[in-house]
Amino acid sequence: MSNKTIVITRPSGQARQLSEALQASLVDSGFTKDTVPQIISLPLLTIVPKGDDVLAGRITAALKSADLAIFVSPNAIECTMRLLERSWQEVSDRPLPIGVMGGSSLAALNNHGIGLEGNATKIILPQSNAQWDSESLWSELQALNWEWSTKKVIIFKGEGGRDWLAETLKQAGAQVEAFSVYTRVPLDLNSSAWNDVHEMDFAKSLWLLTSSEAVRYLGQATLSLDLASAMCPHHNIASAAEQIGFGKVFTCEPGDEALIAASRAWLSV
């Protein structure tokens, strides 16, 4: 096995999906038992869905009169649909379009049949996967030419996180209501999940970083990050990686396919 290591820092379920896809891609591209890298899962944050009936009732009531719903992440979609326990087209008194930041969220919606109905739910997302973020979604929303002062927007998110889009919509005149449908719990710094990380060669490691919050938490650990490399699918994440001291910081386009391609390119050097 190669002495190179790839560290996946997503929550466990999402990390497993990316790890399996990465391993399959490496095998397909000719990597052998002697050349394949070690792949470590280090779930820096755990997603904990909220599940109280009061929150579910408030969300159901708000959606009845909404004009647009925005999900900030696939986690927001999964946790919201768990709370609602009904099909999307049943939640509103009118066809309710959805805004998302990128392809992973689109896939999460499709997994729930949203956007695939006979009279398909309208899904709005940035057209370029190089710009899957809230700023680009706002550009797409502006292209609708809506009179925002007459619109009610519901945003589904995690506890904390960026409020840029909500503030931008409010400044445009929209009525905005945000619901936190999950919390993020940081990985205990004494967890055994860190063991493999402490034993690896940091100079031959690539960290796949997909959350600025997770990166900031990683900075609290005592690690030789100045020897390590980071791969980031967004400039905000790259900036956070630089701030906590990664020796080399690379950027790639968003999405698992881009992360996998970038990892393969790093391994070939």
Side-chain angles (χ1 to χ4, degrees), residues 48-118:
V48 181
K50 294 187 177 181
D52 64 273
D53 293 337
V54 173
L55 176 60
R58 289 175 54 216
I59 290 172
T60 299
L63 288 173
K64 286 294 183 183
S65 58
D67 298 288
L68 173 69
I70 294 174
F71 294 94
V72 304
S73 67
N75 290 320
I77 294 166
E78 297 302 330
C79 295
T80 300
M81 295 309 295
R82 179 183 299 190
L83 279 166
L84 291 175
E85 295 185 324
R86 68 189 70 188
S87 74
W88 182 251
Q89 294 195 343
E90 294 177 354
V91 303
S92 177
D93 292 336
R94 70 191 90 175
L96 184 57
I98 294 173
V100 293
M101 312 299 180
S104 296
S105 291
L106 176 61
L109 290 173
N110 290 167
N111 286 340
H112 286 280
I114 301 171
L116 305 177
E117 309 95 340

Side-chain angles (χ1 to χ4, degrees), residues 217-235:
Y217 177 66
L218 178 61
Q220 299 178 27
T222 305
L223 301 171
S224 304
L225 296 178
D226 58 316
L227 301 176
S229 299
M231 186 64 66
C232 310
H234 194 277
H235 60 84

